[in-house]
Amino acid sequence: MGYDGNWNALADKATIVKCISALKENGIDAQLVNSSIEAKTKVLEIIPLGAEVMTMSSRTLEETGIADALNGSGNYDSVKTKLNAMDRAKHGREMQRMGAAADWTIGSAHAVTEDGHILIASMTGSQLAGEASGSDHVVYVVGVNKIVATVELGMKRIKEHVLPLESERVKVAYGIPGSKINKILLINGEKLAWPSPARSLVLFVNQKLGF
């Protein structure tokens, strides 16, 4: 089981295999790598050089070095880098469009269920449009500590574990009182793409990552 009273417990091999199979049945590709180093290597192999990429705010992408590699190497067309250089007061609407429809969106998830559902919570919803439908390709990098049995346990994980940690983060990062669960994206599946590649990939990492 992905949850045994400890939200950071690593899912066992049988649970991971079951989850990967269920995701594939739901039209979402899924793979497992052993470490954050392998995850970074895999992501950089998947995304073509020069591709337009949007990295969503994610502790996992920071911990693995994926965010830095995509945004700081100069090898990719980084939407995040462009957004950071723009004035939101003058270009807010344009910035929303850019962040919502990059060719590649790279993010994480707050829970993935054994029967193949993905849960992502947000205070602003800024990352959800690209993941839901705006981007042609989506990659979720997810530690196996986030695998849970059901959607109900996924919601419980978000409320009991993710929210308090995220609230502490935004207090330091932005000087605001805390975070809120204002919007939740529940991905039950993707349109089956066979024989074409799946739109979305969950890249599981066999270690604790992120919240």
Side-chain angles (χ1 to χ4, degrees):
M1 299 291 291
Y3 173 62
D4 63 356
N6 173 8
W7 290 119
N8 282 323
L10 301 185
D12 60 32
K13 184 176 180 179
T15 299
I16 296 169
V17 170
K18 177 182 177 182
C19 185
I20 287 175
S21 177
L23 286 165
K24 290 182 176 181
E25 288 180 5
N26 291 341
I28 301 166
D29 194 10
Q31 301 175 27
L32 174 68
V33 296
N34 289 318
S35 69
S36 58
I37 294 174
E38 289 184 29
K40 178 180 174 182
T41 299
K42 188 68 177 179
V43 168
L44 298 182
E45 287 176 354
I46 292 170
I47 303 174
L49 290 175
E52 182 186 56
V53 177
M54 177 63 185
T55 58
M56 298 306 176
S57 296
S58 163
R59 182 61 63 89
T60 295
L61 296 188
E62 294 172 1
E63 291 175 356
T64 56
I66 291 171
D68 284 343
L70 295 176
N71 297 321
S73 67
N75 292 328
Y76 304 90
D77 182 7
S78 167
V79 176
K80 178 65 69 69
T81 300
K82 292 178 181 178
L83 294 177
N84 288 340
M86 296 173 73
D87 184 340
R88 186 164 294 277
K90 295 179 180 179
H91 306 290
R93 186 63 178 148
E94 180 184 355
M95 293 172 72
Q96 284 183 303
R97 292 192 184 100
M98 290 171 60
D103 288 343
W104 288 80
T105 284
I106 315 300
S108 189
H110 295 116
V112 181
T113 70
E114 293 178 25
D115 56 351
H117 306 284
I118 304 168
L119 290 86
I120 305 161
S122 176
M123 182 167 67
T124 66
S126 59
Q127 79 271 38
L128 302 183
E131 293 168 339
S133 64
S135 293
D136 289 338
H137 311 280
V138 183
V139 179
Y140 305 96
V141 183
V142 184
V144 298
N145 54 303
K146 297 181 180 180
I147 296 178
V148 297
T150 65
V151 169
E152 290 74 21
L153 272 178
M155 289 297 303
K156 186 177 176 68
R157 185 180 194 279
I158 290 170
K159 293 176 181 177
E160 292 186 358
H161 179 70
V162 177
L163 179 59
L165 292 173
E166 177 64 8
S167 286
E168 290 302 313
R169 186 191 73 83
V170 299
K171 286 177 186 178
V172 175
Y174 307 119
I176 60 177
S179 188
K180 294 181 179 179
I181 305 170
N182 286 336
K183 300 175 184 181
I184 294 177
L185 177 62
L186 172 61
I187 300 173
N188 293 320
E190 295 279 7
K191 180 181 179 181
L192 294 177
W194 187 89
S196 300
R199 170 182 179 264
S200 297
L201 165 67
V202 176
L203 184 61
F204 285 116
V205 186
N206 196 24
Q207 65 184 72
K208 175 189 174 299
L209 286 173
F211 297 156

